[in-house]
Amino acid sequence: MVLKTSGSAPAQAHVAVGKDPSASGAGRLGGIALMLGSGLSNQVGASVAALAFPVIGPAGVVAVRQWVAAGVLWAVGRPRPRSFTSAQWRPVLGLALVFAAMNLSLYTAVDRIGLGLAVTLEFLGPLTVALAGSRRRKDALCALAAAGAVVVLARPSPSTDYAGIGLALLAAVCWGCYIMLNRTVGRRLPGLEGSAAAAVVSGALYLPVGVLVLWWRPPTPAALGCALAAGVLSSAVPFLADLLALRRVPAQLFGVFMSVNPVYAAVVGLIVLDQQLAPASWAAVVVIVGANTVALSGRPPAVRDGKGA
């Protein structure tokens, strides 16, 4: 989900500007609580999704999540696709393809290398966009620190799952493309119409995939419940929470708080999925989170690189 502000799906898909960066203390505290809750909901949703992987696989879960996201964004965004011009449709269709590839590559990576590692590597997407074109010395240091952290996370060993790491990096590339396309969609279409239309197209693309997967791998009630919960927790809840948060906090603060997602992912992966990271991997997560926080500090309000559909 993307809100046009400074610097999330979720997941974690729409354009909205924070109303007053100097909101009252109570309002700002409420906004911070909403941001923290949004990130936690997104990662809990991903962990719940992983519980359904043994039954319907990542593709089945992503299909259900895309359908939930399409329903939520259509209801909130109320797009009018018949009025779209070809210049408006082009970035919308690109965004739909990115939605589809990003969530599938991430969830497949989670299935192979675990939630914490997959989300941390995916987070390199918005970090790269934040650093691209910068000439600040501290941004160059952030890039070097993040590169070193990636080497630590992907350190070669006989048990290294290079395919899983590659899928997580593909998700990072998709997230970067998602950010850039959302900027174009936000300029060419009013409100949430473009992101809502993209989510619906992405959901439609997953209809044949989802039907085929669910036909060959019939879901149990528990697995279907987990997939639906993932759609709600990783799409609907972050979407609405982020909308409300951006009315209460400055845009730049929103972008900085997104940095907590890899930490959430590692902690939730440990608690829910019993996925343990080595001390060196924990250190690498902290370095990447710190690099993103520093890279966003001192930047003028621009575009919030969020994620949600």
Side-chain angles (χ1 to χ4, degrees):
M1 170 172 46
V2 169
L3 298 101
K4 193 170 183 181
T5 66
S6 78
S8 138
Q12 207 182 107
H14 51 284
V15 179
V17 178
K19 290 185 177 178
D20 183 8
S22 59
S24 67
R28 181 168 295 197
L29 287 175
I32 290 173
L34 285 165
M35 290 187 293
L36 293 174
S38 171
L40 182 60
S41 177
N42 196 10
Q43 303 310 325
V44 170
S47 69
V48 171
L51 298 176
F53 290 168
V55 180
I56 59 177
V61 175
V62 171
V64 174
R65 173 179 167 172
Q66 295 302 103
W67 298 337
V68 171
V72 171
L73 290 176
W74 182 272
V76 177
R78 299 179 181 235
R80 295 166 293 175
R82 292 183 179 179
S83 67
F84 289 6
T85 67
S86 58
Q88 292 171 328
W89 267 117
R90 283 193 293 270
V92 166
L93 293 175
L95 194 59
L97 293 174
V98 167
F99 279 158
M102 179 171 60
N103 289 326
L104 181 59
S105 57
L106 175 63
Y107 274 22
T108 307
V110 169
D111 190 35
R112 299 180 69 100
I113 62 176
L115 181 62
L117 179 53
V119 170
T120 300
L121 291 173
E122 185 203 27
F123 206 72
L124 295 172
L127 176 58
T128 300
V129 172
L131 295 175
S134 174
R135 296 183 179 179
R136 299 189 305 176
R137 182 176 298 177
K138 71 175 184 179
D139 286 346
L141 294 175
C142 288
L144 289 173
V150 171
V151 172
V152 171
L153 288 173
R155 54 193 181 278
S157 72
S159 60
T160 298
D161 190 331
Y162 293 106
I165 290 172
L167 286 164
L169 293 175
L170 174 60
V173 172
C174 289
W175 196 350
C177 294
Y178 173 95
I179 292 164
M180 304 306 293
L181 283 166
N182 254 296
R183 294 177 180 178
T184 303
V185 169
R187 288 193 299 265
R188 296 185 185 179
L189 283 160
L192 314 179
E193 289 194 46
S195 297
V200 171
V201 172
S202 181
L205 291 174
Y206 268 98
L207 277 174
V209 176
V211 169
L212 184 62
V213 170
L214 297 178
W215 175 265
W216 286 104
R217 304 179 67 169
T220 63
L224 186 59
C226 286
L228 289 170
V232 172
L233 292 172
S234 293
S235 293
V237 172
F239 176 83
L240 297 174
D242 290 350
L243 270 179
L244 295 173
L246 277 165
R247 298 174 181 174
R248 293 168 169 81
V249 300
Q252 183 175 329
L253 181 62
F254 193 106
V256 170
F257 263 81
M258 267 189 56
S259 303
V260 77
N261 275 282
V263 177
Y264 270 151
V267 173
V268 171
L270 175 63
I271 295 173
V272 179
L273 304 174
D274 195 29
Q275 296 173 346
Q276 301 188 24
L277 293 179
S281 296
W282 273 107
V285 170
V286 172
V287 167
I288 290 176
V289 169
N292 185 76
T293 302
V294 172
L296 289 175
S297 299
R299 291 182 179 272
V303 176
R304 180 226 156 186
D305 304 332
K307 187 176 73 116

Coordinates of all heavy atoms in Angstrom, one line a residue, residues 53-106:
F53 N 0.9 -22.8 4.1 CA 1.7 -23.2 3.0 C 1.7 -24.7 2.8 O 1.7 -25.2 1.6 CB 3.1 -22.7 3.2 CG 3.3 -21.2 3.0 CD1 4.5 -20.6 3.4 CD2 2.3 -20.4 2.4 CE1 4.6 -19.2 3.2 CE2 2.4 -19.1 2.3 CZ 3.6 -18.5 2.7
P54 N 1.8 -25.5 3.9 CA 1.9 -27.0 3.6 C 0.7 -27.6 2.9 O 0.7 -28.6 2.3 CB 2.0 -27.6 5.1 CG 2.6 -26.4 5.9 CD 2.0 -25.2 5.3
V55 N -0.5 -26.9 3.1 CA -1.7 -27.4 2.5 C -2.0 -26.8 1.1 O -2.2 -27.6 0.1 CB -2.9 -27.0 3.4 CG1 -4.2 -27.6 2.8 CG2 -2.7 -27.6 4.8
I56 N -1.9 -25.5 0.9 CA -2.3 -24.9 -0.4 C -1.1 -24.2 -1.1 O -1.2 -23.7 -2.2 CB -3.5 -24.0 -0.3 CG1 -3.2 -22.8 0.7 CG2 -4.7 -24.7 0.1 CD1 -4.3 -21.8 0.8
G57 N 0.1 -24.2 -0.4 CA 1.3 -23.6 -1.0 C 1.2 -22.1 -1.0 O 0.1 -21.5 -0.8
P58 N 2.3 -21.4 -1.2 CA 2.4 -20.0 -1.3 C 1.4 -19.4 -2.4 O 0.8 -18.3 -2.2 CB 3.8 -19.7 -1.6 CG 4.6 -20.8 -1.1 CD 3.7 -22.0 -1.3
A59 N 1.4 -20.0 -3.5 CA 0.5 -19.5 -4.6 C -0.9 -19.5 -4.2 O -1.7 -18.5 -4.5 CB 0.7 -20.3 -5.9
G60 N -1.4 -20.5 -3.5 CA -2.8 -20.6 -3.1 C -3.1 -19.5 -2.1 O -4.1 -18.8 -2.1
V61 N -2.2 -19.3 -1.1 CA -2.3 -18.2 -0.1 C -2.3 -16.8 -0.8 O -3.2 -16.0 -0.4 CB -1.2 -18.3 1.0 CG1 -1.4 -17.2 1.9 CG2 -1.4 -19.7 1.7
V62 N -1.4 -16.6 -1.7 CA -1.3 -15.3 -2.3 C -2.6 -15.0 -3.1 O -3.1 -13.9 -3.1 CB -0.1 -15.2 -3.2 CG1 -0.1 -14.0 -4.1 CG2 1.2 -15.2 -2.4
A63 N -3.1 -16.0 -3.8 CA -4.3 -15.8 -4.6 C -5.5 -15.4 -3.7 O -6.1 -14.4 -4.0 CB -4.7 -17.1 -5.3
V64 N -5.6 -16.0 -2.5 CA -6.7 -15.6 -1.6 C -6.4 -14.2 -1.1 O -7.3 -13.4 -0.9 CB -6.8 -16.6 -0.4 CG1 -7.8 -16.1 0.6 CG2 -7.2 -18.0 -0.9
R65 N -5.1 -13.9 -0.7 CA -4.8 -12.6 -0.2 C -5.1 -11.5 -1.3 O -5.6 -10.5 -1.0 CB -3.3 -12.5 0.1 CG -2.9 -11.1 0.5 CD -1.5 -11.0 0.9 NE -1.1 -9.6 0.9 CZ 0.1 -9.1 1.4 NH1 1.0 -10.0 1.8 NH2 0.4 -7.8 1.4
Q66 N -4.8 -11.8 -2.5 CA -5.1 -10.8 -3.6 C -6.5 -10.6 -3.8 O -7.0 -9.4 -4.0 CB -4.5 -11.3 -4.9 CG -2.9 -11.4 -4.9 CD -2.3 -10.0 -4.6 OE1 -1.8 -9.8 -3.5 NE2 -2.3 -9.1 -5.6
W67 N -7.3 -11.6 -3.6 CA -8.8 -11.4 -3.7 C -9.3 -10.6 -2.6 O -10.2 -9.7 -2.8 CB -9.5 -12.8 -3.7 CG -9.1 -13.7 -4.9 CD1 -8.5 -13.2 -6.1 CD2 -9.1 -15.1 -5.0 NE1 -8.3 -14.3 -6.9 CE2 -8.6 -15.4 -6.3 CE3 -9.5 -16.1 -4.1 CZ2 -8.5 -16.8 -6.7 CZ3 -9.4 -17.4 -4.6 CH2 -8.9 -17.7 -5.8
V68 N -8.8 -10.8 -1.4 CA -9.2 -10.0 -0.2 C -8.8 -8.5 -0.5 O -9.6 -7.6 -0.3 CB -8.6 -10.5 1.1 CG1 -8.9 -9.5 2.2 CG2 -9.2 -11.9 1.4
A69 N -7.6 -8.3 -0.9 CA -7.1 -6.9 -1.2 C -7.9 -6.3 -2.2 O -8.3 -5.1 -2.1 CB -5.6 -7.0 -1.6
A70 N -8.3 -7.0 -3.3 CA -9.1 -6.4 -4.4 C -10.4 -6.0 -3.8 O -10.9 -4.9 -4.2 CB -9.3 -7.4 -5.5
G71 N -11.1 -6.8 -3.0 CA -12.4 -6.4 -2.4 C -12.3 -5.2 -1.6 O -13.1 -4.3 -1.7
V72 N -11.3 -5.2 -0.7 CA -11.1 -4.0 0.2 C -10.9 -2.7 -0.5 O -11.5 -1.7 -0.3 CB -10.0 -4.3 1.3 CG1 -9.7 -3.0 2.1 CG2 -10.4 -5.4 2.2
L73 N -9.9 -2.8 -1.5 CA -9.5 -1.6 -2.2 C -10.6 -1.1 -3.1 O -10.8 0.1 -3.3 CB -8.2 -1.8 -2.9 CG -7.0 -1.9 -2.0 CD1 -5.7 -2.2 -2.9 CD2 -6.7 -0.6 -1.2
W74 N -11.3 -2.0 -3.7 CA -12.4 -1.6 -4.6 C -13.5 -0.9 -3.7 O -14.0 0.1 -4.2 CB -13.1 -2.8 -5.3 CG -14.2 -2.5 -6.2 CD1 -15.5 -2.3 -5.9 CD2 -14.1 -2.2 -7.6 NE1 -16.2 -2.0 -7.0 CE2 -15.4 -1.9 -8.0 CE3 -13.0 -2.1 -8.5 CZ2 -15.6 -1.5 -9.4 CZ3 -13.3 -1.8 -9.8 CH2 -14.6 -1.5 -10.2
A75 N -13.8 -1.4 -2.6 CA -14.8 -0.8 -1.7 C -14.4 0.6 -1.2 O -15.2 1.5 -1.2 CB -15.1 -1.7 -0.5
V76 N -13.1 0.8 -0.9 CA -12.6 2.0 -0.4 C -12.3 3.0 -1.5 O -12.6 4.2 -1.5 CB -11.4 1.8 0.5 CG1 -10.8 3.1 1.0 CG2 -11.7 0.9 1.7
G77 N -11.6 2.5 -2.6 CA -11.2 3.4 -3.7 C -12.3 3.8 -4.7 O -12.2 4.8 -5.3
R78 N -13.3 2.9 -4.9 CA -14.3 3.1 -5.8 C -13.9 3.6 -7.2 O -14.2 4.7 -7.6 CB -15.4 4.1 -5.2 CG -16.0 3.6 -4.0 CD -17.0 4.6 -3.4 NE -17.6 4.0 -2.2 CZ -18.9 3.9 -2.0 NH1 -19.7 4.2 -2.9 NH2 -19.3 3.4 -0.8
P79 N -13.0 2.8 -7.8 CA -12.5 3.3 -9.1 C -13.5 3.3 -10.2 O -14.6 2.6 -10.1 CB -11.4 2.2 -9.4 CG -11.9 1.0 -8.7 CD -12.5 1.5 -7.5
R80 N -13.3 4.1 -11.2 CA -14.2 4.1 -12.4 C -13.4 3.8 -13.6 O -13.0 4.7 -14.4 CB -14.8 5.6 -12.5 CG -15.7 5.9 -11.4 CD -16.0 7.4 -11.3 NE -14.8 8.2 -11.0 CZ -14.7 9.5 -11.0 NH1 -15.8 10.2 -11.3 NH2 -13.6 10.1 -10.7
P81 N -13.1 2.5 -13.8 CA -12.1 2.1 -14.9 C -12.6 2.5 -16.3 O -11.7 2.7 -17.2 CB -12.0 0.6 -14.7 CG -13.2 0.2 -13.9 CD -13.6 1.4 -13.0
R82 N -13.9 2.6 -16.5 CA -14.3 3.0 -17.8 C -13.9 4.4 -18.2 O -13.9 4.7 -19.4 CB -15.9 2.9 -17.9 CG -16.4 1.4 -17.8 CD -17.9 1.4 -18.0 NE -18.4 0.0 -17.9 CZ -19.7 -0.3 -18.0 NH1 -20.6 0.7 -18.2 NH2 -20.0 -1.6 -17.9
S83 N -13.6 5.2 -17.3 CA -13.2 6.6 -17.6 C -11.7 6.7 -17.7 O -11.2 7.8 -18.0 CB -13.7 7.5 -16.5 OG -13.0 7.3 -15.2
F84 N -10.9 5.6 -17.4 CA -9.5 5.7 -17.5 C -9.0 5.9 -19.0 O -9.5 5.2 -19.9 CB -8.8 4.4 -17.0 CG -8.9 4.3 -15.5 CD1 -9.7 5.2 -14.7 CD2 -8.3 3.2 -14.8 CE1 -9.8 5.0 -13.3 CE2 -8.4 3.0 -13.5 CZ -9.2 3.9 -12.7
T85 N -8.0 6.7 -19.2 CA -7.4 6.9 -20.5 C -6.3 5.8 -20.6 O -5.9 5.2 -19.6 CB -6.8 8.3 -20.7 OG1 -5.7 8.4 -19.7 CG2 -7.8 9.3 -20.4
S86 N -5.7 5.7 -21.8 CA -4.6 4.7 -22.0 C -3.4 5.1 -21.2 O -2.7 4.3 -20.7 CB -4.3 4.6 -23.5 OG -3.9 5.9 -24.0
A87 N -3.2 6.4 -21.1 CA -2.0 6.9 -20.3 C -2.2 6.6 -18.8 O -1.2 6.4 -18.1 CB -1.8 8.4 -20.5
Q88 N -3.4 6.5 -18.4 CA -3.7 6.1 -17.0 C -3.7 4.6 -16.8 O -3.2 4.1 -15.8 CB -5.1 6.6 -16.5 CG -5.1 8.2 -16.4 CD -6.5 8.7 -16.2 OE1 -7.5 8.1 -16.7 NE2 -6.6 9.8 -15.5
W89 N -4.1 3.8 -17.8 CA -4.2 2.4 -17.7 C -2.8 1.8 -17.7 O -2.5 0.8 -17.0 CB -5.0 1.8 -18.8 CG -6.4 1.5 -18.5 CD1 -7.5 2.1 -19.1 CD2 -6.9 0.6 -17.5 NE1 -8.7 1.6 -18.6 CE2 -8.3 0.7 -17.6 CE3 -6.3 -0.2 -16.6 CZ2 -9.2 0.0 -16.7 CZ3 -7.2 -0.9 -15.7 CH2 -8.5 -0.8 -15.8
R90 N -1.8 2.4 -18.4 CA -0.5 1.8 -18.5 C 0.2 1.6 -17.1 O 0.6 0.5 -16.8 CB 0.4 2.6 -19.4 CG 0.1 2.4 -20.9 CD 1.2 2.9 -21.8 NE 1.2 4.4 -21.7 CZ 0.5 5.2 -22.5 NH1 -0.3 4.7 -23.4 NH2 0.7 6.5 -22.4
P91 N 0.3 2.6 -16.3 CA 0.9 2.4 -15.0 C 0.0 1.5 -14.1 O 0.6 0.8 -13.2 CB 1.1 3.8 -14.4 CG 0.1 4.6 -15.1 CD 0.0 4.1 -16.5
V92 N -1.3 1.6 -14.2 CA -2.2 0.7 -13.4 C -1.9 -0.7 -13.7 O -1.8 -1.6 -12.8 CB -3.7 1.1 -13.7 CG1 -4.6 0.0 -13.1 CG2 -4.0 2.4 -13.1
L93 N -1.8 -1.1 -15.0 CA -1.5 -2.5 -15.4 C -0.1 -2.9 -14.9 O 0.1 -4.0 -14.5 CB -1.7 -2.6 -16.9 CG -3.1 -2.5 -17.4 CD1 -3.1 -2.6 -19.0 CD2 -4.0 -3.5 -16.9
G94 N 0.8 -2.0 -15.0 CA 2.2 -2.3 -14.5 C 2.1 -2.5 -13.0 O 2.8 -3.5 -12.5
L95 N 1.4 -1.7 -12.3 CA 1.3 -1.9 -10.9 C 0.6 -3.2 -10.5 O 1.0 -3.9 -9.6 CB 0.5 -0.7 -10.3 CG 0.5 -0.5 -8.8 CD1 1.9 -0.3 -8.2 CD2 -0.4 0.7 -8.4
A96 N -0.4 -3.6 -11.3 CA -1.1 -4.9 -11.1 C -0.1 -6.1 -11.2 O -0.1 -7.0 -10.4 CB -2.3 -5.0 -12.0
L97 N 0.7 -6.0 -12.2 CA 1.7 -7.1 -12.4 C 2.7 -7.1 -11.3 O 3.1 -8.2 -10.8 CB 2.4 -6.9 -13.8 CG 1.6 -7.1 -15.0 CD1 2.4 -6.7 -16.3 CD2 1.1 -8.5 -15.1
V98 N 3.1 -5.9 -10.8 CA 4.0 -5.9 -9.7 C 3.4 -6.4 -8.4 O 4.0 -7.2 -7.7 CB 4.5 -4.4 -9.5 CG1 5.2 -4.3 -8.1 CG2 5.5 -4.0 -10.6
F99 N 2.1 -6.1 -8.2 CA 1.4 -6.7 -7.0 C 1.5 -8.2 -7.1 O 1.9 -8.8 -6.1 CB -0.1 -6.3 -7.1 CG -0.4 -4.9 -6.6 CD1 -1.6 -4.3 -7.0 CD2 0.4 -4.3 -5.7 CE1 -2.0 -3.1 -6.5 CE2 0.0 -3.0 -5.2 CZ -1.1 -2.4 -5.7
A100 N 1.2 -8.7 -8.2 CA 1.1 -10.2 -8.4 C 2.5 -10.8 -8.1 O 2.6 -11.8 -7.4 CB 0.6 -10.5 -9.8
A101 N 3.6 -10.3 -8.7 CA 4.9 -10.8 -8.6 C 5.5 -10.6 -7.2 O 6.2 -11.5 -6.7 CB 5.8 -10.2 -9.7
M102 N 5.3 -9.5 -6.7 CA 5.9 -9.1 -5.4 C 5.4 -10.1 -4.3 O 6.2 -10.6 -3.5 CB 5.5 -7.7 -5.0 CG 6.1 -7.2 -3.7 SD 5.9 -5.4 -3.5 CE 4.1 -5.2 -3.6
N103 N 4.1 -10.2 -4.2 CA 3.5 -11.1 -3.1 C 3.9 -12.5 -3.3 O 4.2 -13.2 -2.3 CB 2.0 -10.9 -3.0 CG 1.7 -9.5 -2.4 OD1 2.4 -8.9 -1.6 ND2 0.6 -8.9 -2.9
L104 N 3.9 -13.0 -4.5 CA 4.2 -14.4 -4.7 C 5.7 -14.7 -4.5 O 6.0 -15.7 -3.8 CB 3.8 -14.8 -6.2 CG 4.1 -16.3 -6.5 CD1 3.3 -17.2 -5.6 CD2 3.8 -16.6 -8.0
S105 N 6.5 -13.8 -4.9 CA 8.0 -14.0 -4.7 C 8.3 -13.9 -3.2 O 9.1 -14.7 -2.7 CB 8.8 -13.0 -5.5 OG 8.5 -11.7 -5.2
L106 N 7.7 -13.0 -2.5 CA 7.9 -12.9 -1.0 C 7.4 -14.1 -0.3 O 8.2 -14.7 0.5 CB 7.2 -11.6 -0.5 CG 7.3 -11.5 1.0 CD1 8.8 -11.3 1.5 CD2 6.5 -10.3 1.5

